[in-house]
Amino acid sequence: MTFNIEEELKKLPSSPGVYLMHDCHDEIIYVGKAISLKNRVRQYFQSSRGKTAKILQMVQNIAWFEYILTDSEMEALVLECNLIKEHRPRYNTMLMDDKSYPYIKVTVQEEYPRILLSRDMKKDKSRYYGPYTSATAVKDTIELMHKLFRLRTCRRNLPEDIGKGRPCLNYHIGQCAAPCQGYITKEQYKEAVQGVMDFLGGDFEPVIRSLESQMKSCAENLDFETAVTYRELLNSVRHITQKQKITDSAGQEDRDIIALAREKQEAVVQIFFVRGGKMIGRDHCYLAIDEGEADGQILGEFVKQFYAGTPVIPRELFLQYPLKEEELIGEWLGKKRGQKVTFRTPVKGEKARLVELAARNARLVLDQDKEKLRREEKRTTGAARQLSVLLGLPECVRMEAYDISNISGVQSVGSMVVYENGRPKRSDYRKFRIRYVEGPNDYASMEEVLTRRFTHGLEEKAAGEERVSGSFDRFPDLILMDGGKGQVNIAEGVLKNLGLSIPVCGMVKDDNHRTRGLYFQGKEVPLDRHAESFQLITRIQDEAHRFAIEYHRSIRSKEQIHSVLDDIEGIGPARRKALMRYFKTIEAIRDATPEELGGVPQMNARAARAVYDFFRERERRRLEAASPDRGSE
C-alpha cells in the first residue's frame, strides 16, 4: 500500500505522543515527541523557513511515518529516550558512544554487608557510590577497603552459616575478619562497614591518622615488617585522596557539572562528577550535531540520553546553558531519582568557575581530537558517500557483504557482514550453515545463503513483526559480492525471483587476487587504490573472509572434539567427565577393572561393565584386523 503523507497528516490526533519517521527502506531515521502530534508533525511538511539543513534533508527522505499515543508529555519523553537508544536514528542528535560507569556498592541490607563493584543500580536498599570513570580505580579502591577494614567477600548466608566450614584464604592473608567463624562481633563488623562508608564519602582523615599511628608504633617496637605494611596502606590511601583534584567550596551536595564545546557538526560535552563536594571523576562524550542547533538544545539532548542510561542522578546539575525543555526534563529526572533535581546556570562566583573549567576541558578535548574525528569521518561516512557517488547511487548507508568458506566442499558455511555509515555493525552479522548444497559449489552455496537471508526478511516484513536490533527485515542500500560477474548474476537472480530491487556490486580481482575494480550494472568500474572508498571495500572484504573462516573453524573444532567414551551406551556427559577426572587418561580407563570403574562417582555396576566390555570388544576387533587371514581349516 502507498503512504499518502498529505492524507495521513489530516488524521493526526491532537494528543501527546512519539512520532517515528521512516525512509524508503523502512529504516527509522528520526524519533521525536510532541505534546500535540497534529501540530508538531505537520510542521515538518510546511514552509522550510527556519528549518536547519539537517531537518530539510531528513524531510526529503521521509517515505512514511507512524506515531504512538501517550497519556502525557512525560510519558512521551520517556518513550522517546528509549526509542532513540534502541534505534539510533540517523537524524537525531546522538551520543556517539554508549558508556556505562562502574559504582561501588555496599550491601547494607545484609546483616554482614559486603563491598562490590556494580555497573547498574538496583532497588535493593544497598548504598551506591559513584559513578567512577575507571573500573580499574574502582577495583583498586575495593581491594584497599578489604585490606583496611577486612570485610567479607563470600556469599555465605550469615549469621545462619557461622561456624560451618573453615575460614577462607582472605582470612589467612589478613583481608577478612572471618565473621563466618564468629571471630568478630556483629557490632565490631558494623563499625568497620561504617568506616568504609565514611571513607567512600570522602572522610579520609580518621583512616590516615590510624595508619600513621600504627606505623609509628610498630617502628618504635622494631616490628619493621608490619610497619612497612602500614606504610604501603598509607601510601595507597594518599594516592586515592590525591585524585580528588577539585573541591567544590560552593557546598557539599552531589552534583554534575556539564559544559560543551562545538565546531560545525561535532561537539564534545565534558561532565564532572562531584560527590560530597569532591570531584570523584570526569568524562567526556562526543555528539553528532546539526550546525543550526542551539547550545541549549544540544545540552538538552545530551542530558536526556545520558541520564536515561545512568542509574545515579545527582541532586543538582550545573549547566553551561539553560535547557530547551528544562521543566519537563527536571520533572522526569526527579521521578527517576525519587527527589527533586535542580538545574542551575551560574553566571558568577565559584559555581560559574566550575562550569567554565568544564567548558575549557571540553574545548581542549575537541581541539585535540578534532583531526582524529575528521580522519575517522573521512574513512567511514566519507568513504561510504564516495562509493555512492562512484556508483551513482542515492546513498550507501547500509552495505552487506557475503562470503563462502569450506575445505573441498566439506562443512560449507556462509557469512553476512554489515556496515552502516562505513562502520561494522556486528550485531547484524549473520552465519549460515549450508544445508542443501553438496560438494564445493560456491555459486550454489551463495544462492542458498542469499535466498534464505532475503526470504527471512520478507517474511518478517509480511508478518509485521516489531523490529529488533539485528533483525532480517532491514535491507541494504548495496550488496557487495566477493567475486565478479558470476557472483553478481547469482545475487541478482535471487533478488529478481523474490521481487526485490537492491543494487549488487561485485569485486573484480587482478592476477594476484587483489581487488582492482567493481563490477556494477554490467560493466567494470575502476577503483583508485588510494581512495577512501577502495580502503573501505577492502576492509569489508577482509571482514567477510574473517567472519566466514572463523565460523568454519569453530564448526570443525566442535566436530573434532569427540571422545571414544561417547560411543559407549549409557555413558553421558556427566559420567564421561567423572571417568576422566578420576582416571586422567583414556588408557587408564581402558586398563581398569570393573570394580575400579564402579568405584567412580556417577558410575554404577551396569555402567562400569559397559565400559569394561566396550574396550575388550574394541581390542578384540583390533587384533582380528591385525592378524593374517588363515582361511578355512
Side-chain angles (χ1 to χ4, degrees):
M1 295 178 60
T2 58
F3 188 89
N4 189 319
I5 290 180
E6 291 296 329
E7 289 299 319
E8 295 298 327
L9 287 174
K10 296 176 184 178
K11 302 176 185 177
L12 286 166
S14 299
S15 306
V18 173
Y19 53 91
L20 300 90
M21 303 298 193
H22 294 253
D23 65 7
C24 59
H25 303 296
D26 278 353
E27 180 184 356
I28 297 174
I29 58 175
Y30 189 79
V31 174
K33 65 166 180 57
I35 193 170
S36 171
L37 287 168
K38 182 176 182 179
N39 295 339
R40 185 71 185 97
V41 177
R42 290 177 66 178
Q43 289 178 359
Y44 289 101
F45 302 95
Q46 293 173 350
S47 170
S48 62
R49 188 171 59 183
K51 291 186 175 69
T52 65
K54 184 171 77 171
I55 294 299
L56 290 174
Q57 185 182 18
M58 184 266 290
V59 172
Q60 292 174 357
N61 287 303
I62 296 175
W64 64 285
F65 60 80
E66 59 179 321
Y67 51 88
I68 304 171
L69 297 179
T70 60
D71 290 333
S72 66
E73 191 179 9
M74 172 64 65
E75 287 186 11
L77 173 65
V78 175
L79 181 58
E80 178 197 33
C81 291
N82 292 336
L83 290 173
I84 288 175
K85 185 173 183 179
E86 177 183 357
H87 297 289
R88 300 191 66 82
R90 191 188 326 167
Y91 291 103
N92 281 89
T93 298
M94 292 297 303
L95 279 176
M96 295 173 65
D97 41 15
D98 191 11
K99 301 179 180 179
S100 65
Y101 295 94
Y103 297 82
I104 294 178
K105 171 181 176 180
V106 182
T107 59
V108 293
Q109 75 277 16
E110 297 177 340
E111 290 200 48
Y112 289 85
R114 296 168 293 154
I115 177 171
L116 309 167
L117 182 149
S118 176
R119 286 195 177 272
D120 55 4
M121 187 176 178
K122 301 177 182 178
K123 294 182 179 180
D124 54 4
K125 299 182 181 180
S126 295
R127 188 77 61 85
Y128 288 84
Y129 297 87
Y132 298 91
T133 54
S134 169
T136 301
V138 170
K139 291 174 184 176
D140 290 344
T141 302
I142 291 175
E143 183 180 357
L144 176 62
M145 295 298 96
H146 285 137
K147 291 178 179 177
L148 290 173
F149 299 100
R150 303 174 68 201
L151 299 190
R152 71 186 182 105
T153 60
C154 65
R155 297 183 180 181
R156 293 185 182 182
N157 187 18
L158 302 182
E160 287 80 0
D161 290 346
I162 290 179
K164 298 179 181 178
R166 295 177 297 177
C168 64
L169 178 63
N170 284 341
Y171 167 74
H172 295 290
I173 63 175
Q175 292 190 20
C176 179
C180 61
Q181 303 300 310
Y183 294 167
I184 181 174
T185 65
K186 190 173 183 179
E187 291 70 24
Q188 290 172 327
Y189 194 88
K190 283 189 174 181
E191 288 181 12
V193 172
Q194 188 59 51
V196 168
M197 293 192 291
D198 291 343
F199 186 93
L200 294 175
D203 188 6
F204 307 116
E205 288 305 317
V207 173
I208 292 176
R209 288 196 300 268
S210 174
L211 290 175
E212 286 178 340
S213 174
Q214 292 178 79
M215 179 183 68
K216 291 177 181 177
S217 175
C218 290
E220 290 171 356
N221 294 327
L222 304 182
D223 186 1
F224 299 114
E225 184 175 348
T226 306
V228 168
T229 301
Y230 284 121
R231 185 191 65 189
E232 291 175 350
L233 287 174
L234 186 59
N235 290 337
S236 297
V237 171
R238 284 173 173 162
H239 178 69
I240 294 278
T241 61
Q242 286 170 0
K243 290 183 178 180
Q244 313 295 335
K245 298 180 187 294
I246 293 179
T247 300
D248 181 8
S249 60
Q252 299 298 310
E253 297 288 350
D254 292 347
R255 57 173 58 98
D256 288 349
I257 300 164
I258 304 171
L260 69 83
R262 58 184 296 182
E263 187 169 319
K264 296 183 179 179
Q265 296 180 334
E266 302 164 358
V268 170
V269 173
Q270 181 80 40
I271 179 168
F272 290 161
F273 305 111
V274 178
R275 301 294 181 263
K278 297 180 183 295
M279 189 180 83
I280 64 170
R282 66 175 183 173
D283 204 358
H284 61 268
C285 300
Y286 296 100
L287 289 92
I289 65 170
D290 183 9
E291 291 185 56
E293 286 182 284
D295 294 327
Q297 184 178 356
I298 296 171
L299 277 184
E301 292 298 322
F302 168 80
V303 168
K304 287 191 292 185
Q305 294 180 46
F306 183 82
Y307 290 105
T310 302
V312 173
I313 298 172
R315 183 173 178 178
E316 293 182 328
L317 296 182
F318 284 3
L319 301 165
Q320 187 181 15
Y321 305 104
L323 303 184
K324 184 179 178 182
E325 301 173 303
E326 191 168 288
E327 184 176 345
L328 179 64
I329 296 174
E331 183 183 353
W332 168 57
L333 291 180
K335 285 187 176 181
K336 286 196 68 175
R337 172 181 166 83
Q339 293 178 324
K340 182 179 179 181
V341 175
T342 304
F343 295 110
R344 302 189 187 278
T345 311
V347 294
K348 62 181 180 179
E350 181 69 16
K351 299 176 182 179
R353 185 190 71 81
L354 294 173
V355 173
E356 176 60 27
L357 182 62
R360 289 207 307 269
N361 275 268
R363 171 54 59 183
L364 179 64
V365 171
L366 183 61
D367 290 343
Q368 288 176 341
D369 292 353
K370 186 164 46 179
E371 189 58 35
K372 176 184 175 182
L373 289 171
R374 287 175 179 167
R375 288 198 304 269
E376 180 65 15
E377 193 277 337
K378 187 177 179 181
R379 71 187 293 271
T380 54
T381 55
R385 284 195 300 267
Q386 192 180 86
L387 182 60
S388 65
V389 171
L390 179 68
L391 300 177
L393 299 175
E395 59 182 4
C396 287
V397 174
R398 181 183 174 97
M399 293 179 280
E400 293 180 2
Y402 298 84
D403 191 27
I404 302 295
S405 178
N406 60 64
I407 297 178
S408 300
V410 177
Q411 298 170 333
S412 293
V413 299
S415 69
M416 163 186 150
V417 300
V418 179
Y419 273 61
E420 283 193 0
N421 293 311
R423 297 180 178 89
K425 189 176 183 183
R426 293 183 174 85
S427 62
D428 283 15
Y429 284 16
R430 289 294 179 268
K431 305 168 182 176
F432 301 85
R433 194 161 185 173
I434 305 302
R435 301 172 181 168
Y436 312 116
V437 179
E438 298 291 340
N441 190 334
D442 284 357
Y443 282 177
S445 298
M446 184 61 72
E447 183 178 15
E448 178 186 328
V449 167
L450 292 171
T451 300
R452 286 164 56 188
R453 182 263 181 269
F454 288 104
T455 299
H456 194 166
L458 289 170
E459 289 172 351
E460 286 188 2
K461 286 177 178 288
E465 295 180 8
E466 184 179 348
R467 176 176 299 166
V468 295
S469 178
S471 62
F472 276 116
D473 69 339
R474 297 192 62 189
F475 288 172
D477 301 312
L478 178 67
I479 296 174
L480 290 168
M481 307 299 298
D482 185 36
K485 183 177 180 180
Q487 292 272 20
V488 171
N489 289 341
I490 291 293
E492 289 178 341
V494 171
L495 296 173
K496 183 178 179 180
N497 291 336
L498 296 174
L500 297 173
S501 178
I502 301 174
V504 182
C505 187
M507 304 176 193
V508 183
K509 310 292 194 304
D510 60 18
D511 295 336
N512 296 317
H513 201 69
R514 294 178 302 185
T515 301
R516 71 163 188 254
L518 300 175
Y519 182 81
F520 184 65
Q521 295 181 342
K523 60 182 180 181
E524 183 175 331
V525 180
L527 283 174
D528 179 3
R529 290 184 176 276
H530 302 289
E532 291 293 344
S533 56
F534 175 82
Q535 303 298 329
L536 174 60
I537 289 171
T538 301
R539 290 195 297 273
I540 295 174
Q541 182 183 30
D542 292 343
E543 181 70 352
H545 285 328
R546 179 199 65 78
F547 194 54
I549 290 170
E550 282 190 0
Y551 180 41
H552 190 254
R553 185 182 296 126
S554 69
I555 289 177
R556 295 202 316 270
S557 298
K558 289 177 183 177
E559 295 194 356
Q560 287 169 359
I561 299 173
H562 178 81
S563 171
V564 66
L565 299 177
D566 294 329
D567 297 329
I568 306 176
E569 185 177 353
I571 302 300
R575 283 175 172 165
R576 184 186 65 208
K577 290 180 182 177
L579 286 167
M580 291 302 298
R581 190 179 297 116
Y582 188 89
F583 289 103
K584 309 302 183 186
T585 67
I586 293 292
E587 290 74 16
I589 297 172
R590 180 195 63 196
D591 298 335
T593 66
E595 291 74 19
E596 291 171 333
L597 292 168
V600 176
Q602 306 277 354
M603 296 289 288
N604 55 32
R606 183 176 178 181
R609 173 55 65 176
V611 173
Y612 182 81
D613 291 344
F614 174 84
F615 282 106
R616 304 291 83 73
E617 178 64 20
R618 194 163 175 255
E619 180 65 12
R620 184 185 66 77
R621 291 178 181 177
R622 186 188 68 80
L623 293 174
E624 283 185 356
S627 63
D629 186 5
R630 299 184 182 183
S632 58
E633 295 186 7

